[in-house]
Amino acid sequence: MSEFLEGLTTALPRLLEEGLQATLISFAGGAVLMVIVAVLLGVAGHQGPGWLQVISRVIVEFFRGTSLVVQLFFIFYAIPTLTGVDLGSTWAAIVGLGLNYGAYGAEVVRGSLNAVPKGQWETTTALSMPWTTKMRRVIWPQAWALMLPGFNNLTVMLIKGTAVVGLVLLSDLTFESDQLRRQVGTWPAFVAVLLIYYVIALVVSTIMRLMERRAQRKLGLGDYAIRQARKDTDQVLAGAVAADGSTGVGGGLGTKRDPDRDREEPDN
Amino acid sequence: MFELDLFLEAFPVLLEQFIKITLVVTVLGSVIAAALGLAWAILVRQLPSFLSVPLAFVLDFIRLTPLPVHLLLVYYAFNSLSGLTVGVLVFGVHYSTYMAESYRAGIESIRSGQWEAATALSLPASRTWRAVILPQAIRNTLPSLGNWAIAMFKDTPFLIFISVVEMVTAARQFGGQHFTYTEAFTVAGLLFLVASYPTAVLMRKLEKKLAY
């Protein structure tokens, strides 16, 4: 036990010094690209003319259907021989992660746009708002609140996805822990790296939760309304007496916090 | 740039690895994950809280940490196990934590009247689960389990971390031998796409069909 703790205290600072940077860079870069790709493909897939929807569908299915590792390898090994453009490890990792998770994100964006109550779309038409105003002022703020839980899940997946960037020769946390294993032993090295990943995931997830609350508050769902909506959601989910719209929050937004759960919700 | 000969040469090589390793790990891993996931979902609900809270924490921890590290840890910590065995076990356990969430959602979607009816009939817990709750819950859960199985299938290249030669590793080796990676990786990507896209479409159909 003491050996394990000793190994852990050697491993933790070493990992924080050496692997963390590469992991955080590929995570941050990947996250930014993910959001850009997701919004572009998602909005195009929902709002664009027919041909654009088809193109965005094909791109999304392509990146979701082939594995992340294949895409990383393709970008890192094949793109340079095909085009002569060598992105290098860091950019290959960022582009690979961003495109892969961005494709998943596009589905989140598309689904959220779909979930904005129909009346809201119809009203903007009735007021003959131009497309940009409609998106910026009416649809997007509501869709944004709906898509944040989905993006929360995706960012956590993205953090875990960065563990493969060692394959394109980036010395990230996982790569460094594998090196450390020889010095401090198997358990301390890998437990240390698991702890670091866990903390990163918790921090990011908490930030996303705060953003979620902010987005809801901007829609006029104050603290009390949010809490109330959550309570009602939990009640419904627990299968208790159906909450009969007692919160009065716009379009039942508060009940859409978790799309996965939402889907399973009994229709009452 | 793109040589059809190499593409055709790589195809059977990769297809063999695909069937021998990728599919085997996916199928066995999914079976383990589906069974364990169900066990977790029921245990977290049934156990007294001093046991279920730690269990839920462990499941959360596994879910929030990366699969490659789990593979490495188990591979080196139990070095008597072969890479393939480690792969199947780790994939099974890792994905069981996701599937447990799906089962949980499925179980929570059962209306409380069903539980109350079971209590009113004083059915024992085992029979309540087996005869009342699970048949309804699993129907809701099935499509989501399928999606996790597809996700696992696309994660099989992680086996490269524990030196199991599956399709993508084979593609990299093939590329290294022929000094060009394009063809081999194209084959690998195509095989993934051909296997996973139709399954995903099928799942979506199933989802619609099973919905009440």
Side-chain angles (χ1 to χ4, degrees):
Chain A
M1 193 65 198
S2 70
E3 235 175 81
F4 171 78
L5 286 179
E6 215 173 281
L8 203 61
T9 44
T10 327
L12 266 174
R14 280 281 299 278
L15 284 172
L16 288 174
E17 225 169 274
E18 277 166 41
L20 189 66
Q21 204 192 355
T23 295
L24 287 184
I25 287 175
S26 39
F27 166 63
V32 170
L33 188 59
M34 169 180 89
V35 173
I36 295 172
V37 170
V39 170
L40 285 181
L41 286 178
V43 173
H46 192 268
Q47 292 289 294
W51 58 271
L52 196 58
Q53 290 194 12
V54 172
I55 291 177
S56 109
R57 193 79 257 143
V58 169
I59 297 175
V60 167
E61 291 302 346
F62 175 79
F63 281 105
R64 287 185 349 144
T66 56
S67 172
L68 169 64
V69 179
V70 179
Q71 289 157 26
L72 270 183
F73 279 161
F74 203 90
I75 290 165
F76 188 67
Y77 289 110
I79 295 284
T81 51
L82 272 179
T83 63
V85 183
D86 195 346
L87 288 174
S89 294
T90 312
W91 280 105
I94 290 175
V95 170
L97 291 167
L99 289 177
N100 186 276
Y101 290 95
Y104 286 91
E107 288 292 279
V108 173
V109 172
R110 209 171 54 91
S112 307
L113 287 175
N114 245 345
V116 171
K118 225 175 155 130
Q120 301 283 329
W121 293 93
E122 285 161 3
T123 311
T124 57
T125 314
L127 294 170
S128 51
M129 272 188 190
W131 188 82
T132 42
T133 319
K134 153 166 109 180
M135 281 315 257
R136 202 163 51 87
R137 307 295 296 264
V138 182
I139 304 300
W140 190 258
Q142 300 185 61
W144 178 242
L146 290 173
M147 67 183 77
L148 277 172
F151 271 123
N152 189 351
N153 284 338
L154 271 181
T155 18
V156 172
M157 298 295 262
L158 177 64
I159 296 166
K160 298 193 295 170
T162 59
V164 302
V165 298
L167 295 177
V168 291
L169 312 180
L170 210 55
S171 23
D172 71 318
L173 281 171
T174 306
F175 178 85
E176 289 296 335
S177 67
D178 197 20
Q179 305 290 309
L180 262 178
R181 176 180 62 81
R182 275 159 256 227
Q183 287 171 38
V184 298
T186 304
W187 282 97
F190 290 128
V191 168
V193 77
L194 285 177
L195 285 175
I196 298 176
Y197 275 117
Y198 183 65
V199 170
I200 299 176
L202 281 187
V203 169
V204 169
S205 191
T206 310
I207 294 173
M208 295 293 288
R209 273 302 259 269
L210 291 176
M211 283 172 69
E212 216 176 289
R213 287 182 52 150
R214 197 173 138 251
Q216 288 181 328
R217 201 169 296 129
K218 271 189 156 175
L219 288 178
L221 310 177
D223 254 351
Y224 176 75
I226 293 172
R227 237 178 296 134
Q228 200 58 36
R230 260 190 208 154
K231 225 170 86 192
D232 286 347
T233 319
D234 287 345
Q235 256 181 19
V236 173
L237 289 172
V241 190
D244 48 352
S246 54
T247 50
V249 270
L253 255 179
T255 55
K256 297 256 170 114
R257 276 200 332 103
D258 188 341
D260 232 340
R261 278 184 169 197
D262 197 50
R263 193 167 50 74
E264 312 280 357
E265 194 178 308
D267 41 327
N268 36 38
Chain B
M1 271 303 166
F2 189 89
E3 288 173 43
L4 196 63
D5 290 355
L6 272 180
F7 181 84
L8 294 176
E9 197 183 321
F11 196 82
V13 181
L14 297 190
L15 189 62
E16 195 194 334
Q17 295 304 323
F18 178 75
I19 292 166
K20 261 179 27 192
I21 309 285
T22 307
L23 281 187
V24 169
V25 172
T26 309
V27 170
L28 293 180
S30 302
V31 171
I32 294 178
L36 267 184
L38 181 59
W40 301 144
I42 295 177
L43 283 177
V44 166
R45 226 189 140 100
Q46 283 300 78
L47 287 177
S49 62
F50 74 95
L51 287 174
S52 73
V53 170
L55 176 62
F57 174 77
V58 170
L59 295 180
D60 255 355
F61 190 86
I62 294 178
R63 203 173 27 232
L64 287 178
T65 48
L67 185 54
V69 183
H70 298 165
L71 283 170
L72 287 168
L73 174 62
V74 177
Y75 184 62
Y76 287 117
F78 305 95
N79 50 15
S80 57
L81 297 175
S82 79
L84 200 58
T85 321
V86 171
V88 170
L89 289 178
V90 171
F91 272 98
V93 172
H94 189 87
Y95 273 91
S96 76
T97 61
Y98 296 116
M99 287 191 182
E101 282 291 292
S102 303
Y103 281 115
R104 187 184 58 83
I107 290 168
E108 279 175 2
S109 75
I110 304 299
R111 272 159 240 208
S112 57
Q114 301 284 322
W115 291 98
E116 285 157 10
T119 315
L121 293 170
S122 55
L123 290 185
S126 60
R127 224 168 133 211
T128 307
W129 281 105
R130 207 182 52 226
V132 182
I133 304 302
L134 288 183
Q136 304 179 67
I138 287 180
R139 179 196 166 105
N140 287 343
T141 312
L142 222 52
S144 151
L145 293 191
N147 289 335
W148 285 123
I150 300 173
M152 182 192 294
F153 167 67
K154 281 179 289 191
D155 275 356
T156 47
F158 291 177
L159 289 171
I160 194 175
F161 280 94
I162 53 174
S163 345
V164 174
V165 180
E166 50 67 65
M167 182 175 58
V168 180
T169 320
R172 191 156 78 151
Q173 286 173 0
F174 187 91
Q177 282 159 17
H178 295 81
F179 304 107
T180 167
Y181 291 94
T182 319
E183 292 80 4
F185 285 141
T186 308
V187 174
L190 270 181
L191 281 173
F192 268 115
L193 203 59
V194 165
S196 76
Y197 184 64
T199 327
V201 171
L202 219 70
M203 281 299 152
R204 232 169 286 153
K205 282 228 173 92
L206 185 73
E207 208 163 321
K208 284 213 183 96
K209 208 173 148 197
L210 287 183
Y212 294 100

